[in-house]
Amino acid sequence: MLGAGVASATPGGACGPATVQYRIVGADGGVVGADWTSQGGFRAWDTVPGTVEVRLAPGQKVADGCKYPVSLAEYTTEGPNWQTSGRQTMVDKATVYLTAEDVAGDDAKRTWQKLAVKAPDCYGQIDLYGDDVAYDGKTGEGHGPAPYQPDGVNTPYHLIAAWNGGDKACATTPSDSPTPTPSESEPETAPSTPAADAPPTEEKTPQSTPKPSSTPTTTSEVPPLSSKPSVSPAPSSGDGTRPLAETGAGAPVGLIAGGAALVIALGAGAVYAATRARRS
């Protein structure tokens, strides 16, 4: 059993990362392979992993209300290891949420939360990771990109451990569109041959982009379940400054119009008075 760090728990009760331990149990409830461990990495299976039990490592202080999602996902692949896995297709997924009650202690006989997925019958990969996202290549909330070694898509995130194996290729779904056949009415065109005096064409070897060879990194430290962001309040217009101009039904249109009429009347009276003075 590996030593565990202390989960972050601030005096205010905030949730920090925590260390997860796991073990594989068989149909009879007996432990298969190593007992409780936080050891990560990719492993080749001799037999397909069965049920996986998970818990939080001992010695951690986890605040009340903190939840740590742990998922187990099974994929079909194109090969028996990460380097040959190619395109992966999610077949099954299970998720549990660990809390302060799942921190290991002296109670050796207690039961722990279990994860189980369908056993692959061909090349496959099983991932144990620390969140509840389905990395199945779909879009929308709760989904993420599917693992794809050729393009370096190293999902799932927060990967704790992974297993690869299988001894045969998975069945592929045939294409719905038939392969086009050449038309009988079109004669075959003979391949053109270069002129005898033409210099030979220099063949250029295309540069290939190196593919990632290392397996994705793993960690036993997982983040807590994140809460959804709160809705931002609408911006307030009451900032203490007066607007430059007001329009609409709430603006003092009548008052402004009345003032303008009064100014015009006064001006007309002044012009009339000046005219009479010159005539007299």
Side-chain angles (χ1 to χ4, degrees):
M1 183 182 299
L2 301 180
V6 177
S8 301
T10 63
C15 303
T19 301
V20 172
Q21 291 183 328
Y22 66 92
R23 66 180 180 182
I24 299 174
V25 295
D28 59 354
V31 178
V32 178
D35 205 350
W36 291 108
T37 180
S38 295
Q39 185 70 38
F42 277 64
R43 304 172 188 176
W45 68 59
D46 296 326
T47 58
V48 178
T51 302
V52 178
E53 290 185 331
V54 290
R55 70 183 187 183
L56 296 178
Q60 302 184 91
K61 296 179 181 179
V62 177
D64 293 338
C66 296
K67 291 184 178 181
Y68 298 87
V70 180
S71 299
L72 190 70
E74 188 259 311
Y75 297 84
T76 58
T77 63
E78 298 178 353
N81 53 52
W82 170 252
Q83 285 73 18
T84 62
S85 60
R87 190 170 303 280
Q88 300 196 28
T89 303
M90 178 177 283
V91 176
D92 197 13
K93 171 183 172 288
T95 301
V96 296
Y97 297 88
L98 304 179
T99 66
E101 296 180 356
D102 296 293
V103 177
D106 298 331
D107 44 354
K109 294 183 178 180
R110 67 168 293 181
T111 58
W112 305 99
Q113 296 201 56
K114 298 177 174 61
L115 292 161
V117 292
K118 296 177 182 177
D121 57 0
C122 57
Y123 293 143
Q125 179 170 312
I126 294 178
D127 294 326
L128 179 68
Y129 57 97
D131 61 54
D132 55 1
V133 176
Y135 295 95
D136 50 9
K138 299 178 182 180
T139 58
E141 185 178 357
H143 297 275
Y148 189 49
Q149 188 272 345
D151 286 351
V153 182
N154 297 337
T155 53
Y157 303 126
H158 314 121
L159 185 64
I160 300 171
W163 296 264
N164 300 92
D167 55 6
K168 64 178 181 179
C170 301
T172 57
T173 304
S175 175
D176 295 334
S177 57
T179 303
T181 56
S183 175
E184 297 180 358
S185 61
E186 296 180 0
E188 295 184 358
T189 304
S192 60
T193 57
D197 56 349
T201 303
E202 181 181 356
E203 296 183 358
K204 295 182 179 181
T205 304
Q207 295 182 353
S208 59
T209 303
K211 298 179 180 179
S213 58
S214 59
T215 56
T217 58
T218 57
T219 177
S220 60
E221 189 175 78
V222 302
L225 182 67
S226 59
S227 59
K228 295 182 179 179
S230 58
V231 178
S232 301
S236 174
S237 60
D239 54 358
T241 60
R242 296 188 60 176
L244 297 178
E246 291 187 76
T247 60
V253 177
L255 181 60
I256 295 174
L262 178 61
V263 172
I264 293 173
L266 291 175
V271 172
Y272 177 74
T275 303
R276 291 196 60 181
R278 283 196 299 268
R279 290 180 181 177
S280 58

